[in-house]
Each structure stands twice: as C-alpha cells, then as structure tokens.
Amino acid sequence: MKQINLGATSLQIPAMALGIMRMEAKSPADAAKAIDAAYENGINFIDSADIYGQGKSEEVFSKALKLSSTKREELFIQSKAGIIIDPARSHGSFVFGSRYEFTKQHILEAVDGILSRMKTDYLDSFLLHRPDPLMDLEGIREAFDILQASGKVRFFGVSNFNPQQFAMVQNIVSQRLMFNQLQFGLMHTGMIDFGIHTNINDKDGTNHDGEILEYCRQHHVTIQAWSPFQYGNFEGTFIDNPDYPELNATLAKLANKYNVGKNAIAAAWILKHPAQIQMVMGTMNPQHIADSAKGADIRLTNQEWYNLYLDAGHQLP
Ligand SMILES: NC(=O)c1ccc[n+]([C@@H]2O[C@H](COP(=O)([O-])OP(=O)(O)OC[C@H]3O[C@@H](n4cnc5c(N)ncnc54)[C@H](OP(=O)(O)O)[C@@H]3O)[C@@H](O)[C@H]2O)c1
C-alpha cells in the first residue's frame, strides 16, 4: 500500500482508509471480515464518526475487532463529532443534523462516548465533523488540550472546512491540525474544477470551496477524500451505473489495460493528484476492499487522468 505523510509530520499512513459509516448494517462477523480484508491489503486506518448509525457503527466495530485477527494497536483509529442528530430527520445510514455543536463540554462528552463504544482508551485522530457557524473557539482549544493531555486523542483535524474556517481554528488551538476530510472523487470534483476554470465565467468557475485543495497543500494538511465512488452527496455509486456510460466505458478500458477492477481505476485517479490525498473507502465487501486497494499501485498517465475527468462530464475551458 502506498504510504503518505501524516499531515505536516514525517509519520507514514496508508493512502487509503476504511470508513465505517456503513458498518452499522453488518453483523460483527461480517464487519470483522471487512476489517481483516482492509488490514491484509495494507489499510490499517479506520475512519468513523459518532453519528454513523447513530453510534451503532462504532459498537459493531468494537465487537468486530474482537472477532478479527487485527489488533487495536495495529490500527490508526479516527473518529469525528459535532453533528447533533435528529432521528426524525434520519433514515438508514443517512443521518441529518438538527444542529452542530462545538462547545468544550460537547467535544469532551462526544470523545468519551466514542471511546466507550469503540472500546478503546484513545483515538489516533479526532476531527470536528462540519463547520459550525456558532463554534466556540476557546472551548475547542480547551477541549483539545484536555484530550491531548489525558492521552485520549493523539492527532486533531477537521472535516468539510474551507480555508478561512480552517485557519480560524488553527490560529487558536495549540495542536497542528493534520487532516481536512472533504468529499472528492470522479463525480465530485469541485475542489479542482474551480482552479481549472479560474477567470472563466461558467458554472465550474464558481468558488464553492475557497481553494481548499491549494490551501491544504501549502499547509501540509492531509486531505481525506470521503465517498470517493459516489455521485451527488453520496447518493449512489457511479461504478457500473448506467447513468454514467462514458465514464464507465473509460473505467472499463483502463481496468482492462491495468488488469484490475473499475474501483481500482477510480481510486488511482484520486491518488494520482500530487496533494497526497488519502482516500476513505466505504465498502464493507471484502472483495471490493481488496480490489479497490489495487488502485494504490496504479500510475495513470496524465492523459488517462484527464480522459477520466472529461468522461465523468467535466470540461476544460
Ligand atoms: N466527513 C464527512 O462528512 C463524510 C461524509 C460521508 C462519508 N464519510 C466517510 O467516507 C467513508 C466512505 O463513504 P462511502 O461509503 O459513501 O464511500 P464509497 O466508497 O464511495 O461508497 C461505498 C458504497 O459504494 C458501493 N459500491 C458499489 N460498487 C462498488 C465497487 N465496485 N467498489 C467499491 N464500492 C462499491 C459499496 O457497496 P458494497 O459494500 O456492496 O461494496 C458501498 O455501498 C464513510 O465510511 C465515512 O467514513 C465522511
């Protein structure tokens, strides 16, 4: 498995992580197979959040880890918090928030809840899940200091933050923020569209993300690409989806050339970006995990990378 730097450090982490958002729907035995398949393929990085399955994903994970041949110490476990869910607005894996909350008390309680559900004494990394317009910066600073001093959290980061939001938190906390988890994949390319369409008066020239990709590269923040094989706001996969015939034809052609599956090509497209992105895959299918992991060894040519971008429906000015 290709290794990348953990944020601004020289510590090494795998270029792929296993996200457990969908683990709530699995039995501990099946979840254990997913964890072991990831580990056997060099993916020892787990991404969670307290809201996944409203806590159930983390409960299944701890039961699964007992059944698996992988040990806690062999894993880098990350979780996120700050979204307060409203069961009435949620269905299945798709939970919706009634508010965000980044107070000192909520952060501390949320981490304790995660540790208790995951049955571990510490998180390798903890992220603020989404930017909260009401966030209490002093409270975040105090909470991070307590979590670090107590040994409950080793590294910190954020998710879905734009550059100004990132800088605002970074300027107040004592720890260097290592991660920014953002949606990125062939069918979710806003972070690069704007850069390509700078100074062009078309829809891709709209700056939704505040040049977050360039910001993270300059500040050595690891971008974690969530929902890499999904279109829309993780509405479904584009792989083998008849609504995306041109993209699937190009994926199939390259899959044939490199002797892998389409998921490996879609993964290789993300990992080719020089920002050293870490891809967070969400499949719970051991075969899909193993097949996707092969993408880390594929070096697409620049033209192949552009062909995939164009056949996914994006345009060059
Ligand atoms: N920070 C955030 O705001 C945020 C938001 C959403 C997600 N996330 C993180 O991102 C992780 C991944 O999200 P995701 O599950 O939406 O990502 P994904 O890897 O893009 O999608 C996984 C889904 O695609 C399906 N799939 C169908 N064909 C596939 C194939 N050939 N290969 C691989 N998968 C295939 C999988 O089904 P099978 O299981 O049947 O393979 C699974 O349902 C989550 O677990 C979570 O950790 C973060």
Side-chain angles (χ1 to χ4, degrees), residues 20-32 34-35 48 52-53 55-68 117-119 284:
I20 64 165
M21 180 175 74
R22 301 173 194 270
M23 195 171 268
E24 54 136 345
K26 296 291 166 192
S27 68
D30 283 345
I35 295 168
S48 181
Y52 294 160
K56 193 168 171 211
S57 283
E58 294 185 334
E59 289 168 0
V60 174
F61 173 81
S62 60
K63 289 179 188 153
L65 196 57
K66 277 195 186 150
L67 301 175
S68 88
R117 283 189 297 276
M118 297 188 101
K119 303 229 180 311
M284 292 288 108

PDB file of all heavy atoms in Angstrom, residues 20-32 34-35 48 52-53 55-68 117-119 284:
ATOM      1  N   ILE A  20     -16.227   3.529   8.264  1.00  0.00           N
ATOM      2  CA  ILE A  20     -17.183   2.557   8.806  1.00  0.00           C
ATOM      3  C   ILE A  20     -18.598   3.121   8.901  1.00  0.00           C
ATOM      4  O   ILE A  20     -19.412   2.605   9.653  1.00  0.00           O
ATOM      5  CB  ILE A  20     -16.714   1.972  10.158  1.00  0.00           C
ATOM      6  CG1 ILE A  20     -16.640   3.051  11.251  1.00  0.00           C
ATOM      7  CG2 ILE A  20     -15.361   1.273   9.999  1.00  0.00           C
ATOM      8  CD1 ILE A  20     -16.543   2.461  12.663  1.00  0.00           C
ATOM      9  N   MET A  21     -18.899   4.125   8.092  1.00  0.00           N
ATOM     10  CA  MET A  21     -20.252   4.700   8.092  1.00  0.00           C
ATOM     11  C   MET A  21     -21.319   3.631   7.844  1.00  0.00           C
ATOM     12  O   MET A  21     -22.402   3.670   8.410  1.00  0.00           O
ATOM     13  CB  MET A  21     -20.330   5.783   7.012  1.00  0.00           C
ATOM     14  CG  MET A  21     -21.668   6.475   6.881  1.00  0.00           C
ATOM     15  SD  MET A  21     -21.614   7.820   5.677  1.00  0.00           S
ATOM     16  CE  MET A  21     -21.578   6.933   4.118  1.00  0.00           C
ATOM     17  N   ARG A  22     -20.974   2.661   6.965  1.00  0.00           N
ATOM     18  CA  ARG A  22     -21.964   1.640   6.583  1.00  0.00           C
ATOM     19  C   ARG A  22     -21.829   0.363   7.418  1.00  0.00           C
ATOM     20  O   ARG A  22     -22.516  -0.618   7.138  1.00  0.00           O
ATOM     21  CB  ARG A  22     -21.825   1.321   5.085  1.00  0.00           C
ATOM     22  CG  ARG A  22     -22.035   2.555   4.193  1.00  0.00           C
ATOM     23  CD  ARG A  22     -21.733   2.262   2.733  1.00  0.00           C
ATOM     24  NE  ARG A  22     -21.609   3.495   1.954  1.00  0.00           N
ATOM     25  CZ  ARG A  22     -22.600   4.111   1.323  1.00  0.00           C
ATOM     26  NH1 ARG A  22     -23.814   3.605   1.352  1.00  0.00           N
ATOM     27  NH2 ARG A  22     -22.398   5.229   0.638  1.00  0.00           N
ATOM     28  N   MET A  23     -20.979   0.373   8.428  1.00  0.00           N
ATOM     29  CA  MET A  23     -20.754  -0.848   9.223  1.00  0.00           C
ATOM     30  C   MET A  23     -21.948  -1.167  10.114  1.00  0.00           C
ATOM     31  O   MET A  23     -22.144  -2.316  10.513  1.00  0.00           O
ATOM     32  CB  MET A  23     -19.485  -0.713  10.067  1.00  0.00           C
ATOM     33  CG  MET A  23     -18.983  -2.018  10.632  1.00  0.00           C
ATOM     34  SD  MET A  23     -17.351  -1.883  11.393  1.00  0.00           S
ATOM     35  CE  MET A  23     -16.261  -2.296  10.038  1.00  0.00           C
ATOM     36  N   GLU A  24     -22.744  -0.197  10.439  1.00  0.00           N
ATOM     37  CA  GLU A  24     -23.916  -0.427  11.311  1.00  0.00           C
ATOM     38  C   GLU A  24     -24.845  -1.506  10.764  1.00  0.00           C
ATOM     39  O   GLU A  24     -25.524  -2.195  11.514  1.00  0.00           O
ATOM     40  CB  GLU A  24     -24.715   0.878  11.478  1.00  0.00           C
ATOM     41  CG  GLU A  24     -25.122   1.522  10.171  1.00  0.00           C
ATOM     42  CD  GLU A  24     -26.571   2.005  10.159  1.00  0.00           C
ATOM     43  OE1 GLU A  24     -27.352   1.605  11.026  1.00  0.00           O
ATOM     44  OE2 GLU A  24     -26.908   2.767   9.234  1.00  0.00           O
ATOM     45  N   ALA A  25     -24.849  -1.665   9.422  1.00  0.00           N
ATOM     46  CA  ALA A  25     -25.770  -2.621   8.807  1.00  0.00           C
ATOM     47  C   ALA A  25     -25.203  -4.044   8.783  1.00  0.00           C
ATOM     48  O   ALA A  25     -25.872  -4.970   8.307  1.00  0.00           O
ATOM     49  CB  ALA A  25     -26.085  -2.171   7.382  1.00  0.00           C
ATOM     50  N   LYS A  26     -23.983  -4.217   9.261  1.00  0.00           N
ATOM     51  CA  LYS A  26     -23.317  -5.526   9.178  1.00  0.00           C
ATOM     52  C   LYS A  26     -23.335  -6.246  10.527  1.00  0.00           C
ATOM     53  O   LYS A  26     -23.377  -5.620  11.583  1.00  0.00           O
ATOM     54  CB  LYS A  26     -21.852  -5.335   8.746  1.00  0.00           C
ATOM     55  CG  LYS A  26     -21.713  -4.750   7.356  1.00  0.00           C
ATOM     56  CD  LYS A  26     -22.147  -5.742   6.305  1.00  0.00           C
ATOM     57  CE  LYS A  26     -22.349  -5.108   4.952  1.00  0.00           C
ATOM     58  NZ  LYS A  26     -23.029  -5.965   3.994  1.00  0.00           N
ATOM     59  N   SER A  27     -23.259  -7.563  10.467  1.00  0.00           N
ATOM     60  CA  SER A  27     -23.069  -8.335  11.701  1.00  0.00           C
ATOM     61  C   SER A  27     -21.615  -8.156  12.113  1.00  0.00           C
ATOM     62  O   SER A  27     -20.753  -7.866  11.264  1.00  0.00           O
ATOM     63  CB  SER A  27     -23.349  -9.814  11.440  1.00  0.00           C
ATOM     64  OG  SER A  27     -22.348 -10.328  10.588  1.00  0.00           O
ATOM     65  N   PRO A  28     -21.301  -8.335  13.407  1.00  0.00           N
ATOM     66  CA  PRO A  28     -19.893  -8.246  13.815  1.00  0.00           C
ATOM     67  C   PRO A  28     -19.001  -9.203  13.011  1.00  0.00           C
ATOM     68  O   PRO A  28     -17.868  -8.849  12.663  1.00  0.00           O
ATOM     69  CB  PRO A  28     -19.946  -8.623  15.297  1.00  0.00           C
ATOM     70  CG  PRO A  28     -21.305  -8.170  15.739  1.00  0.00           C
ATOM     71  CD  PRO A  28     -22.212  -8.458  14.573  1.00  0.00           C
ATOM     72  N   ALA A  29     -19.518 -10.377  12.663  1.00  0.00           N
ATOM     73  CA  ALA A  29     -18.695 -11.342  11.910  1.00  0.00           C
ATOM     74  C   ALA A  29     -18.369 -10.797  10.517  1.00  0.00           C
ATOM     75  O   ALA A  29     -17.221 -10.878  10.052  1.00  0.00           O
ATOM     76  CB  ALA A  29     -19.423 -12.683  11.806  1.00  0.00           C
ATOM     77  N   ASP A  30     -19.359 -10.231   9.845  1.00  0.00           N
ATOM     78  CA  ASP A  30     -19.101  -9.669   8.518  1.00  0.00           C
ATOM     79  C   ASP A  30     -18.218  -8.424   8.604  1.00  0.00           C
ATOM     80  O   ASP A  30     -17.359  -8.190   7.741  1.00  0.00           O
ATOM     81  CB  ASP A  30     -20.427  -9.336   7.816  1.00  0.00           C
ATOM     82  CG  ASP A  30     -21.098 -10.594   7.279  1.00  0.00           C
ATOM     83  OD1 ASP A  30     -20.419 -11.643   7.189  1.00  0.00           O
ATOM     84  OD2 ASP A  30     -22.302 -10.538   6.955  1.00  0.00           O
ATOM     85  N   ALA A  31     -18.461  -7.632   9.639  1.00  0.00           N
ATOM     86  CA  ALA A  31     -17.627  -6.427   9.821  1.00  0.00           C
ATOM     87  C   ALA A  31     -16.175  -6.832  10.071  1.00  0.00           C
ATOM     88  O   ALA A  31     -15.242  -6.168   9.595  1.00  0.00           O
ATOM     89  CB  ALA A  31     -18.168  -5.587  10.975  1.00  0.00           C
ATOM     90  N   ALA A  32     -15.961  -7.926  10.808  1.00  0.00           N
ATOM     91  CA  ALA A  32     -14.600  -8.404  11.075  1.00  0.00           C
ATOM     92  C   ALA A  32     -13.908  -8.782   9.765  1.00  0.00           C
ATOM     93  O   ALA A  32     -12.708  -8.522   9.576  1.00  0.00           O
ATOM     94  CB  ALA A  32     -14.638  -9.604  12.018  1.00  0.00           C
ATOM     95  N   ALA A  34     -14.443  -7.401   6.907  1.00  0.00           N
ATOM     96  CA  ALA A  34     -14.077  -6.141   6.234  1.00  0.00           C
ATOM     97  C   ALA A  34     -12.803  -5.563   6.853  1.00  0.00           C
ATOM     98  O   ALA A  34     -11.888  -5.137   6.131  1.00  0.00           O
ATOM     99  CB  ALA A  34     -15.223  -5.139   6.335  1.00  0.00           C
ATOM    100  N   ILE A  35     -12.714  -5.561   8.179  1.00  0.00           N
ATOM    101  CA  ILE A  35     -11.516  -5.023   8.855  1.00  0.00           C
ATOM    102  C   ILE A  35     -10.282  -5.842   8.446  1.00  0.00           C
ATOM    103  O   ILE A  35      -9.231  -5.288   8.107  1.00  0.00           O
ATOM    104  CB  ILE A  35     -11.699  -5.064  10.389  1.00  0.00           C
ATOM    105  CG1 ILE A  35     -12.829  -4.124  10.819  1.00  0.00           C
ATOM    106  CG2 ILE A  35     -10.394  -4.686  11.105  1.00  0.00           C
ATOM    107  CD1 ILE A  35     -13.268  -4.301  12.273  1.00  0.00           C
ATOM    108  N   SER A  48     -14.203   6.862  11.397  1.00  0.00           N
ATOM    109  CA  SER A  48     -15.547   6.748  11.938  1.00  0.00           C
ATOM    110  C   SER A  48     -16.102   8.135  12.234  1.00  0.00           C
ATOM    111  O   SER A  48     -15.473   9.153  11.961  1.00  0.00           O
ATOM    112  CB  SER A  48     -15.507   5.892  13.215  1.00  0.00           C
ATOM    113  OG  SER A  48     -16.797   5.762  13.741  1.00  0.00           O
ATOM    114  N   TYR A  52     -22.423   7.794  12.833  1.00  0.00           N
ATOM    115  CA  TYR A  52     -22.652   6.692  11.897  1.00  0.00           C
ATOM    116  C   TYR A  52     -23.529   5.617  12.543  1.00  0.00           C
ATOM    117  O   TYR A  52     -23.139   4.983  13.522  1.00  0.00           O
ATOM    118  CB  TYR A  52     -21.333   6.103  11.397  1.00  0.00           C
ATOM    119  CG  TYR A  52     -20.525   7.079  10.554  1.00  0.00           C
ATOM    120  CD1 TYR A  52     -19.171   6.913  10.350  1.00  0.00           C
ATOM    121  CD2 TYR A  52     -21.139   8.184   9.955  1.00  0.00           C
ATOM    122  CE1 TYR A  52     -18.434   7.821   9.581  1.00  0.00           C
ATOM    123  CE2 TYR A  52     -20.413   9.093   9.188  1.00  0.00           C
ATOM    124  CZ  TYR A  52     -19.069   8.901   9.011  1.00  0.00           C
ATOM    125  OH  TYR A  52     -18.348   9.803   8.256  1.00  0.00           O
ATOM    126  N   GLY A  53     -24.711   5.443  11.964  1.00  0.00           N
ATOM    127  CA  GLY A  53     -25.685   4.525  12.557  1.00  0.00           C
ATOM    128  C   GLY A  53     -26.111   5.005  13.937  1.00  0.00           C
ATOM    129  O   GLY A  53     -26.525   4.193  14.759  1.00  0.00           O
ATOM    130  N   GLY A  55     -24.264   5.869  16.313  1.00  0.00           N
ATOM    131  CA  GLY A  55     -23.385   5.195  17.294  1.00  0.00           C
ATOM    132  C   GLY A  55     -23.247   3.705  17.036  1.00  0.00           C
ATOM    133  O   GLY A  55     -22.316   3.064  17.519  1.00  0.00           O
ATOM    134  N   LYS A  56     -24.166   3.151  16.233  1.00  0.00           N
ATOM    135  CA  LYS A  56     -24.158   1.690  16.071  1.00  0.00           C
ATOM    136  C   LYS A  56     -22.921   1.202  15.306  1.00  0.00           C
ATOM    137  O   LYS A  56     -22.383   0.137  15.600  1.00  0.00           O
ATOM    138  CB  LYS A  56     -25.441   1.235  15.347  1.00  0.00           C
ATOM    139  CG  LYS A  56     -25.609  -0.265  15.438  1.00  0.00           C
ATOM    140  CD  LYS A  56     -26.954  -0.764  15.009  1.00  0.00           C
ATOM    141  CE  LYS A  56     -26.893  -2.291  14.952  1.00  0.00           C
ATOM    142  NZ  LYS A  56     -27.750  -2.862  13.962  1.00  0.00           N
ATOM    143  N   SER A  57     -22.466   1.992  14.329  1.00  0.00           N
ATOM    144  CA  SER A  57     -21.272   1.559  13.573  1.00  0.00           C
ATOM    145  C   SER A  57     -20.100   1.342  14.522  1.00  0.00           C
ATOM    146  O   SER A  57     -19.336   0.386  14.369  1.00  0.00           O
ATOM    147  CB  SER A  57     -20.896   2.607  12.521  1.00  0.00           C
ATOM    148  OG  SER A  57     -21.759   2.527  11.418  1.00  0.00           O
ATOM    149  N   GLU A  58     -19.943   2.236  15.489  1.00  0.00           N
ATOM    150  CA  GLU A  58     -18.804   2.109  16.418  1.00  0.00           C
ATOM    151  C   GLU A  58     -18.993   0.911  17.341  1.00  0.00           C
ATOM    152  O   GLU A  58     -18.025   0.258  17.725  1.00  0.00           O
ATOM    153  CB  GLU A  58     -18.626   3.421  17.197  1.00  0.00           C
ATOM    154  CG  GLU A  58     -18.219   4.547  16.233  1.00  0.00           C
ATOM    155  CD  GLU A  58     -17.900   5.881  16.886  1.00  0.00           C
ATOM    156  OE1 GLU A  58     -18.423   6.145  17.997  1.00  0.00           O
ATOM    157  OE2 GLU A  58     -17.146   6.655  16.277  1.00  0.00           O
ATOM    158  N   GLU A  59     -20.227   0.613  17.698  1.00  0.00           N
ATOM    159  CA  GLU A  59     -20.486  -0.575  18.538  1.00  0.00           C
ATOM    160  C   GLU A  59     -20.184  -1.856  17.758  1.00  0.00           C
ATOM    161  O   GLU A  59     -19.556  -2.784  18.271  1.00  0.00           O
ATOM    162  CB  GLU A  59     -21.932  -0.573  19.020  1.00  0.00           C
ATOM    163  CG  GLU A  59     -22.196   0.501  20.068  1.00  0.00           C
ATOM    164  CD  GLU A  59     -23.675   0.707  20.357  1.00  0.00           C
ATOM    165  OE1 GLU A  59     -24.523   0.027  19.748  1.00  0.00           O
ATOM    166  OE2 GLU A  59     -23.971   1.580  21.182  1.00  0.00           O
ATOM    167  N   VAL A  60     -20.640  -1.900  16.501  1.00  0.00           N
ATOM    168  CA  VAL A  60     -20.358  -3.085  15.677  1.00  0.00           C
ATOM    169  C   VAL A  60     -18.852  -3.224  15.494  1.00  0.00           C
ATOM    170  O   VAL A  60     -18.292  -4.326  15.566  1.00  0.00           O
ATOM    171  CB  VAL A  60     -21.077  -3.000  14.308  1.00  0.00           C
ATOM    172  CG1 VAL A  60     -20.659  -4.154  13.397  1.00  0.00           C
ATOM    173  CG2 VAL A  60     -22.579  -2.984  14.489  1.00  0.00           C
ATOM    174  N   PHE A  61     -18.177  -2.080  15.278  1.00  0.00           N
ATOM    175  CA  PHE A  61     -16.723  -2.113  15.072  1.00  0.00           C
ATOM    176  C   PHE A  61     -16.009  -2.769  16.253  1.00  0.00           C
ATOM    177  O   PHE A  61     -15.140  -3.631  16.068  1.00  0.00           O
ATOM    178  CB  PHE A  61     -16.181  -0.687  14.860  1.00  0.00           C
ATOM    179  CG  PHE A  61     -14.686  -0.623  14.803  1.00  0.00           C
ATOM    180  CD1 PHE A  61     -14.007  -0.930  13.637  1.00  0.00           C
ATOM    181  CD2 PHE A  61     -13.949  -0.293  15.933  1.00  0.00           C
ATOM    182  CE1 PHE A  61     -12.616  -0.904  13.595  1.00  0.00           C
ATOM    183  CE2 PHE A  61     -12.563  -0.271  15.907  1.00  0.00           C
ATOM    184  CZ  PHE A  61     -11.898  -0.569  14.726  1.00  0.00           C
ATOM    185  N   SER A  62     -16.377  -2.379  17.489  1.00  0.00           N
ATOM    186  CA  SER A  62     -15.645  -2.934  18.647  1.00  0.00           C
ATOM    187  C   SER A  62     -15.913  -4.431  18.786  1.00  0.00           C
ATOM    188  O   SER A  62     -15.012  -5.198  19.130  1.00  0.00           O
ATOM    189  CB  SER A  62     -15.971  -2.178  19.931  1.00  0.00           C
ATOM    190  OG  SER A  62     -17.348  -2.262  20.209  1.00  0.00           O
ATOM    191  N   LYS A  63     -17.146  -4.850  18.476  1.00  0.00           N
ATOM    192  CA  LYS A  63     -17.428  -6.295  18.528  1.00  0.00           C
ATOM    193  C   LYS A  63     -16.652  -7.018  17.424  1.00  0.00           C
ATOM    194  O   LYS A  63     -16.115  -8.107  17.626  1.00  0.00           O
ATOM    195  CB  LYS A  63     -18.932  -6.544  18.339  1.00  0.00           C
ATOM    196  CG  LYS A  63     -19.755  -6.104  19.544  1.00  0.00           C
ATOM    197  CD  LYS A  63     -21.240  -6.343  19.300  1.00  0.00           C
ATOM    198  CE  LYS A  63     -22.058  -5.712  20.419  1.00  0.00           C
ATOM    199  NZ  LYS A  63     -23.400  -5.337  20.027  1.00  0.00           N
ATOM    200  N   ALA A  64     -16.607  -6.387  16.255  1.00  0.00           N
ATOM    201  CA  ALA A  64     -15.918  -6.997  15.114  1.00  0.00           C
ATOM    202  C   ALA A  64     -14.426  -7.130  15.375  1.00  0.00           C
ATOM    203  O   ALA A  64     -13.809  -8.136  15.019  1.00  0.00           O
ATOM    204  CB  ALA A  64     -16.164  -6.163  13.857  1.00  0.00           C
ATOM    205  N   LEU A  65     -13.856  -6.108  16.012  1.00  0.00           N
ATOM    206  CA  LEU A  65     -12.402  -6.134  16.244  1.00  0.00           C
ATOM    207  C   LEU A  65     -12.027  -7.318  17.129  1.00  0.00           C
ATOM    208  O   LEU A  65     -10.965  -7.923  16.949  1.00  0.00           O
ATOM    209  CB  LEU A  65     -11.959  -4.806  16.876  1.00  0.00           C
ATOM    210  CG  LEU A  65     -10.459  -4.519  16.829  1.00  0.00           C
ATOM    211  CD1 LEU A  65      -9.925  -4.548  15.408  1.00  0.00           C
ATOM    212  CD2 LEU A  65     -10.154  -3.179  17.481  1.00  0.00           C
ATOM    213  N   LYS A  66     -12.899  -7.660  18.065  1.00  0.00           N
ATOM    214  CA  LYS A  66     -12.633  -8.828  18.933  1.00  0.00           C
ATOM    215  C   LYS A  66     -12.598 -10.118  18.114  1.00  0.00           C
ATOM    216  O   LYS A  66     -11.860 -11.043  18.416  1.00  0.00           O
ATOM    217  CB  LYS A  66     -13.738  -8.952  19.982  1.00  0.00           C
ATOM    218  CG  LYS A  66     -13.519  -8.076  21.181  1.00  0.00           C
ATOM    219  CD  LYS A  66     -14.450  -8.527  22.304  1.00  0.00           C
ATOM    220  CE  LYS A  66     -14.351  -7.581  23.471  1.00  0.00           C
ATOM    221  NZ  LYS A  66     -15.588  -7.497  24.206  1.00  0.00           N
ATOM    222  N   LEU A  67     -13.437 -10.178  17.072  1.00  0.00           N
ATOM    223  CA  LEU A  67     -13.512 -11.388  16.248  1.00  0.00           C
ATOM    224  C   LEU A  67     -12.423 -11.428  15.177  1.00  0.00           C
ATOM    225  O   LEU A  67     -12.130 -12.487  14.625  1.00  0.00           O
ATOM    226  CB  LEU A  67     -14.875 -11.463  15.540  1.00  0.00           C
ATOM    227  CG  LEU A  67     -16.124 -11.479  16.434  1.00  0.00           C
ATOM    228  CD1 LEU A  67     -17.381 -11.423  15.582  1.00  0.00           C
ATOM    229  CD2 LEU A  67     -16.125 -12.729  17.305  1.00  0.00           C
ATOM    230  N   SER A  68     -11.866 -10.271  14.864  1.00  0.00           N
ATOM    231  CA  SER A  68     -10.930 -10.209  13.730  1.00  0.00           C
ATOM    232  C   SER A  68      -9.534 -10.616  14.181  1.00  0.00           C
ATOM    233  O   SER A  68      -9.251 -10.694  15.378  1.00  0.00           O
ATOM    234  CB  SER A  68     -10.900  -8.805  13.142  1.00  0.00           C
ATOM    235  OG  SER A  68      -9.940  -8.026  13.808  1.00  0.00           O
ATOM    236  N   ARG A 117     -17.895   3.350  23.045  1.00  0.00           N
ATOM    237  CA  ARG A 117     -18.493   2.475  22.014  1.00  0.00           C
ATOM    238  C   ARG A 117     -17.418   1.664  21.283  1.00  0.00           C
ATOM    239  O   ARG A 117     -17.630   0.505  20.958  1.00  0.00           O
ATOM    240  CB  ARG A 117     -19.286   3.305  20.996  1.00  0.00           C
ATOM    241  CG  ARG A 117     -20.642   3.774  21.494  1.00  0.00           C
ATOM    242  CD  ARG A 117     -21.443   4.400  20.368  1.00  0.00           C
ATOM    243  NE  ARG A 117     -20.803   5.584  19.829  1.00  0.00           N
ATOM    244  CZ  ARG A 117     -20.906   6.800  20.337  1.00  0.00           C
ATOM    245  NH1 ARG A 117     -21.662   7.018  21.394  1.00  0.00           N
ATOM    246  NH2 ARG A 117     -20.276   7.822  19.790  1.00  0.00           N
ATOM    247  N   MET A 118     -16.271   2.300  21.020  1.00  0.00           N
ATOM    248  CA  MET A 118     -15.220   1.597  20.254  1.00  0.00           C
ATOM    249  C   MET A 118     -14.346   0.736  21.166  1.00  0.00           C
ATOM    250  O   MET A 118     -13.455   0.034  20.684  1.00  0.00           O
ATOM    251  CB  MET A 118     -14.376   2.596  19.456  1.00  0.00           C
ATOM    252  CG  MET A 118     -15.190   3.334  18.405  1.00  0.00           C
ATOM    253  SD  MET A 118     -14.190   4.341  17.290  1.00  0.00           S
ATOM    254  CE  MET A 118     -14.098   3.304  15.835  1.00  0.00           C
ATOM    255  N   LYS A 119     -14.595   0.825  22.460  1.00  0.00           N
ATOM    256  CA  LYS A 119     -13.852   0.032  23.460  1.00  0.00           C
ATOM    257  C   LYS A 119     -12.348   0.192  23.282  1.00  0.00           C
ATOM    258  O   LYS A 119     -11.581  -0.766  23.121  1.00  0.00           O
ATOM    259  CB  LYS A 119     -14.248  -1.443  23.403  1.00  0.00           C
ATOM    260  CG  LYS A 119     -15.739  -1.666  23.601  1.00  0.00           C
ATOM    261  CD  LYS A 119     -16.053  -2.726  24.623  1.00  0.00           C
ATOM    262  CE  LYS A 119     -17.534  -2.966  24.820  1.00  0.00           C
ATOM    263  NZ  LYS A 119     -18.358  -1.771  25.029  1.00  0.00           N
ATOM    264  N   MET A 284     -18.106  -2.392   2.484  1.00  0.00           N
ATOM    265  CA  MET A 284     -17.959  -3.395   3.549  1.00  0.00           C
ATOM    266  C   MET A 284     -17.733  -4.780   2.941  1.00  0.00           C
ATOM    267  O   MET A 284     -17.714  -5.782   3.644  1.00  0.00           O
ATOM    268  CB  MET A 284     -19.208  -3.408   4.441  1.00  0.00           C
ATOM    269  CG  MET A 284     -19.394  -2.163   5.285  1.00  0.00           C
ATOM    270  SD  MET A 284     -18.189  -2.061   6.647  1.00  0.00           S
ATOM    271  CE  MET A 284     -17.121  -0.742   6.105  1.00  0.00           C
TER     272      MET A 284
END
